């Protein structure tokens, strides 16, 4: 304890106290106006580092959500293309069933053949489906149309073959950290039944264009047996499309699951970020009121302390 | 008669001494608000007695001296504490700037720019258009803005360093000027001390010494003649009685940041000593630490981030092919970590055409495999190359670049917080010491008023003695 109290000591102490009180007040005012408890790394280094990480994670989550949108659009395009192709096969099979009937004449079969030619053209369009200018069945070679017919249909027999000009690959998109999901299918495998890329359909699979061409030729040449022979191949082709549709459907499932997961994570991350860096408004405001009255008290006490001196009494 | 005249002399002397006392008191009161002032006190003694009629008769009072009340130990402690406090405050000022530069709480910073850069690769990978021309443009724009952010932060950090350098030069001038002033005052004090204590000059000088101690860490001791010797921490004297030595600065061609950055030398007339590494206290020590350690380290941290960004992205980017069929760097290749931040730039091929961006492993427009891998760098942990590592292996921690950036921000925050606490603590210690100094040396108006009352009474009493003696003398004279 000091034994002598001098005038400068009093004013120094007063200034020191007022200064400290004002410093605390400024901190609280900053927190109240920014709504943040941590306004700079030094306020709470651990929290600031955690907030940095959380913001990056939130940012990544938003990015994955954008990726999901892209993936969904592309998967939907692929899925509907395959559904369309299935419709084509169903229609072609019913034509084959009709054409296989012994009661049909050559003229009627010729008419059916023309319908098959149209179906062939439709399937070709489906195989060349584009999404924003990119061919979805072309793999990485997205600017190249994957399927082209070798020529027109010839009267009385002779159908074009369809070759694959795309890239036999499936485009992937990252839909969650480290999770890459296929968003397109290998067109060669879907439409030509050639999964191994050796130029001919794999065992149990069909070149759908070839089946249609064979049906058309059989009808055009009025060969009921040959028409009947295509029926099993249509069944195999339909099964093949169903398998591919299931594969892309699985991607769709993954996307839906990721969507829910990302939405949950976004909420969790936002809440954590808020608890790490946000100021508790009620707490800050009540502290602010406390500090203000503390400053008021300090100022009043200081004013009183600085005033009296023996001079006042002696006059 | 001689008794009466003796009493008259005693009273007259007392009046004179009382007047001196009044002057001292009024000097004290006049300086009540002078922070450098040390209170003065009249020291009284009795004049030599005379012997008369077998006894000794006192002859009154005399002023022995005017004492200056100051505590040498408090002064020494203040000098020490001020040096370390000034060093801390200087560093804190600079660290707060760096802390604010790296601050991402309120605004977009390096972390956000990095994050957006990786996102742009994701957008490229999930683009639905063939060749993704828009996403390529966007990626290049985002990468350019990342480069700008890194370079701007580098420039800001280097500004902190340059400001410290300016201050170092200014401080050396100030120190030299203070040393000369102290040496001059030493001479004045020694001269006046022959006659009487040079109280007010001592106050002036002690204030200058305290001011000097805020600039550089010093030790002082006083010689018998009152002159002070000011020594630097390793014993060389800055002020030796009446002469002052000069500090000089000279550019350091070997400085890794800037060859014009100065080293501080001590010149004792015949030899020069390099003090740069030895000065730790005072503003000068603080600014040297800011320039050579704090800002320097932050610049290298940023260099480390820039180099590793360049290296990881380039390594992955080289694995793929652009639409033009070629393999390219993404950023201009850099050979070393040092100064990577200020040299960071997009590769000329990327600047020339976005077709050079290697989104795929092939040149196919839909191939997004390399873009996926590039986007994956966001979370890929790899050994961080530290300054001095290349072309050798990386010796840093295995971390993703985002995490490393976070740890840099965290470290600066920790440092700032640590300094804030240390500085606040020093501030309280100084406040305590100032209170001690004031307790001994400060003027209390109450005390002085009491002294005034006392002096007034003394003056009146002695005047009464003179009046009484005058009455007695009148008696005696009337008998004649």
């Amino acid at each position: 304890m000091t034994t002598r109290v001098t005038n400068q000591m009093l004013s120094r102490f007063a200034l020191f106290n007022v200064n400290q009180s004002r410093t605390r007040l400024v901190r609280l005012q900053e927190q109240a106006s920014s709504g943040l408890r941590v306004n700079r790394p030094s306020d709470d280094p651990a929290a600031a580092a955690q907030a940095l990480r959380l913001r990056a994670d939130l940012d990544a989550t938003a990015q994955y959500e954008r990726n999901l949108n892209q993936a969904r659009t592309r998967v939907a395009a692929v899925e509907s293309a395959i559904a369309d192709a299935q419709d084509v096969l169903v229609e072609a099979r019913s034509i084959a069933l009709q054409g296989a009937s012994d009661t049909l004449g050559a003229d009627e079969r010729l008419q059916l053949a023309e319908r098959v030619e149209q179906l062939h053209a439709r399937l070709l369009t489906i195989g060349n489906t584009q999404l924003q200018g990119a061919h979805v069945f072309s793999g990485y070679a997205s600017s190249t149309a994957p399927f082209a017919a070798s020529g027109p249909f010839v009267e009385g027999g002779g159908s074009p073959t369809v070759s694959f000009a795309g890239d036999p690959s499936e485009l992937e998109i990252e839909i969650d950290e480290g999770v890459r999901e296929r968003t397109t299918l290998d067109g060669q495998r879907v439409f030509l039944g050639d999964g191994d890329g050796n130029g001919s359909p794999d065992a149990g699979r069909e070149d759908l264009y070839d089946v249609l061409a064979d049906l058309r030729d059989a009808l055009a040449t009025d060969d009921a047996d040959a028409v009947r022979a295509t029926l099993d191949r249509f069944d195999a082709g339909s099964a093949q499309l169903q398998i591919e549709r299931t594969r892309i459907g699985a991607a769709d499932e993954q996307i839906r699951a990721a969507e829910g997961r990302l939405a949950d994570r976004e909420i969790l991350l936002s809440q954590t970020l808020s608890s790490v860096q946000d100021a508790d408004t009620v707490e800050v405001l009540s502290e602010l009121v406390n500090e203000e009255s503390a400053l008021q008290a300090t100022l009043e006490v200081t004013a009183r302390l600085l005033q009296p001196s023996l001079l006042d009494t002696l006059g | 008669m001689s008794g009466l005249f003796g009493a008259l002399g005693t009273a007259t002397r007392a009046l004179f001494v009382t007047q001196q006392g009044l002057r001292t008191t009024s000097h004290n009161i006049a300086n009540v608000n002078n922070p450098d002032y040390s209170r003065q006190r009249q020291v009284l003694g009795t004049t030599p007695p005379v012997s008369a009629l077998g006894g000794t008769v006192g002859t009154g009072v005399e002023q022995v001296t005017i004492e200056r009340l100051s505590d040498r130990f408090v002064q020494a402690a203040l000098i020490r504490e001020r040096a370390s406090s000034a060093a801390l405050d200087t560093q804190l000022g600079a660290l707060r700037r760096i802390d604010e530069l790296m601050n991402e709480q309120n605004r977009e910073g390096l972390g956000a720019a990095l994050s957006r850069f990786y996102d742009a690769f994701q957008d490229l990978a999930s683009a639905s258009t063939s060749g993704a021309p828009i996403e390529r443009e966007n990626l290049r724009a985002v990468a350019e803005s990342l480069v700008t952010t890194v370079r701007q932060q580098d420039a800001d950090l280097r500004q902190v360093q340059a400001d410290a350098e300016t201050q170092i030069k200014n401080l050396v001038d100030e120190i030299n000027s203070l040393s000369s002033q102290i040496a001059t005052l030493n001479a004045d004090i020694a001269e006046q001390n022959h006659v009487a204590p040079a109280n007010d000059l001592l106050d002036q000088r002690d204030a200058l010494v305290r001011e000097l101690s805020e600039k550089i860490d010093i030790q002082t001791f006083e010689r018998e003649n009152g002159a002070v010797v000011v020594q630097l921490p390793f014993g060389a004297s800055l002020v030796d009685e009446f002469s002052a030595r000069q500090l000089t600065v000279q550019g350091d061609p070997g400085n890794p940041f800037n060859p014009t950055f100065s080293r501080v030398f001590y010149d004792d007339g015949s030899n020069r000593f390099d003090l740069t590494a030895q000065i730790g206290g005072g503003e000068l020590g603080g600014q040297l630490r800011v320039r050579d350690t704090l800002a320097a380290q932050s610049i290298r941290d940023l260099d480390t981030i820039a180099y590793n960004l360049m290296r990881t992205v380039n390594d992955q980017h080289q694995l793929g092919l652009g639409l033009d069929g070629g393999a390219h760097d993404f950023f201009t290749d850099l050979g070393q970590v040092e100064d990577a931040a200020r040299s960071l730039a997009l590769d000329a091929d990327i600047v020339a055409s976005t077709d050079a961006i290697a989104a795929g492993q092939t040149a196919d427009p839909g191939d997004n495999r390399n873009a996926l891998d590039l986007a994956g760098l966001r979370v890929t942990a790899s050994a961080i190359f530290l300054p001095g590592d290349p072309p050798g292996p990386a010796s840093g921690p295995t971390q993703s670049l985002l995490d490393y950036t976070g740890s840099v921000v965290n470290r600066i925050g920790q440092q700032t917080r640590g300094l804030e606490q240390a500085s606040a603590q020093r501030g309280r210690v100084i406040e305590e010491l100032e209170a001690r100094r004031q307790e001994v040396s400060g003027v209390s108006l109450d005390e002085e008023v009491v002294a005034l009352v006392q002096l007034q009474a003394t003056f009146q009493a002695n005047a009464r003695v003179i009046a009484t003696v005058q009455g007695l003398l009148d008696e005696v004279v009337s008998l004649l």
Side-chain angles (χ1 to χ4, degrees), chain A residues 2-4 7-8 38-39 42-43 45 53 59 63 67 132 134 140 142-143 171-172 180 277 310 314, chain B residues 32 34 99 103 105 115 119 122-123 128 130 365-366 368-369 373 403 410 417 439 442 445-447 449:
Chain A
T2 51
T3 47
R4 281 185 80 242
N7 290 61
Q8 279 194 48
V38 186
N39 283 290
S42 55
D43 287 348
R53 180 72 218 228
D59 190 64
Q63 179 63 42
N67 289 0
Q132 297 181 42
Y140 299 139
S142 53
S143 55
L171 289 183
E172 290 183 326
R180 293 177 186 181
Q277 68 170 12
L310 200 52
L314 288 175
Chain B
V32 66
N34 179 352
D99 192 40
N103 187 9
Q105 286 299 110
S115 192
D119 283 350
Q122 286 281 7
D123 282 333
S128 39
S130 189
N368 65 350
R369 284 171 290 181
D373 290 342
D403 284 347
N410 184 27
R417 196 176 171 75
E439 185 187 333
L445 280 182
D446 292 341
E447 263 178 18
V449 169

Side-chain angles (χ1 to χ4, degrees), chain B residues 41-53:
Chain B
R41 192 169 59 187
Q42 196 179 32
V43 179
L44 301 177
T46 49
T47 44
V50 294
S51 44
L53 302 170

Side-chain angles (χ1 to χ4, degrees), chain A residues 5-24 294-307, chain B residues 431 435:
Chain A
V5 179
T6 67
N7 290 61
Q8 279 194 48
M9 259 164 95
L10 284 177
S11 47
R12 276 192 83 98
F13 276 141
L15 268 179
F16 188 73
N17 288 333
V18 171
N19 217 352
Q20 290 226 313
S21 186
R22 285 217 189 274
T23 310
R24 282 195 296 269
L295 177 65
Q296 194 66 37
T298 313
L299 288 175
E300 272 171 28
V301 168
T302 306
R304 278 196 200 178
L305 259 178
L306 287 180
Q307 252 171 4
Chain B
E431 208 47 47

Side-chain angles (χ1 to χ4, degrees), chain B residues 132-308:
Chain B
I134 298 165
E135 284 77 7
R136 281 169 189 272
E137 282 298 336
N138 177 55
L139 169 62
R140 185 167 65 180
V142 168
E144 266 165 6
S145 119
L146 172 63
V147 167
T148 312
T149 305
V150 169
R151 287 180 150 202
Q152 186 57 49
Q153 233 172 56
D154 179 72
D156 289 344
L157 287 172
R158 282 176 194 272
Q159 190 56 49
V160 173
Q161 221 183 8
D163 289 351
E165 166 67 14
T166 311
Q167 283 304 313
I168 287 167
K169 285 187 177 137
N170 290 345
L171 281 165
V172 166
D173 287 345
E174 284 173 38
I175 288 166
N176 286 338
S177 153
L178 283 170
S179 311
S180 312
Q181 289 180 55
I182 291 170
T184 312
L185 272 170
N186 269 346
D188 294 347
I189 287 164
E191 195 179 344
Q192 198 184 323
N193 264 345
H194 286 307
V195 189
N199 291 340
D200 295 333
L201 291 179
L202 286 170
D203 279 349
Q204 264 185 49
R205 193 202 56 202
D206 283 356
L208 286 179
V209 170
R210 282 197 298 274
E211 201 183 330
L212 181 61
S213 74
E214 283 182 6
K215 314 285 181 205
I216 187 168
D217 38 355
I218 50 170
Q219 289 169 331
T220 62
F221 63 88
E222 245 175 73
R223 290 213 196 280
E224 227 153 273
N225 60 5
V228 74
V229 175
V230 180
Q231 288 183 326
L232 295 172
F234 53 99
S237 45
L238 199 55
V239 179
D240 191 357
E241 295 205 24
F242 314 138
S243 65
R245 303 259 183 252
Q246 299 285 297
L247 296 183
T248 53
V249 292
Q250 200 180 6
D252 174 14
N255 190 295
F257 291 95
N258 189 334
T260 64
F261 279 176
S262 17
R263 297 193 77 83
V264 180
F265 291 92
Y266 169 81
D267 200 335
D268 75 352
S270 48
N271 289 308
R272 267 159 41 107
F273 301 103
D274 189 344
L275 293 187
T276 317
Q278 318 220 22
I279 303 168
E283 282 174 46
L284 184 60
Q287 295 289 10
L288 281 169
R289 212 176 121 70
V290 167
R291 190 192 70 183
D292 296 338
T293 307
L294 299 179
Q297 199 177 3
S298 295
I299 291 171
R300 288 295 177 245
D301 282 339
L302 193 61
D303 283 342
T304 305
I305 292 168
Y307 179 85
N308 284 282

Side-chain angles (χ1 to χ4, degrees), chain B residues 405-422:
Chain B
T405 309
S407 69
V408 167
V409 172
N410 184 27
R411 189 181 51 70
I412 290 166
Q414 297 277 16
Q415 256 181 347
T416 312
R417 196 176 171 75
L419 267 184
E420 266 171 2
Q421 282 162 354

Side-chain angles (χ1 to χ4, degrees), chain A residues 197-216:
Chain A
N198 64 356
S200 58
D202 306 346
R205 295 201 159 229
E206 289 293 340
D207 178 342
L208 303 180
Y209 296 106
D210 195 43
V211 182
L212 284 175
D214 285 353
L215 173 59
R216 182 262 175 194

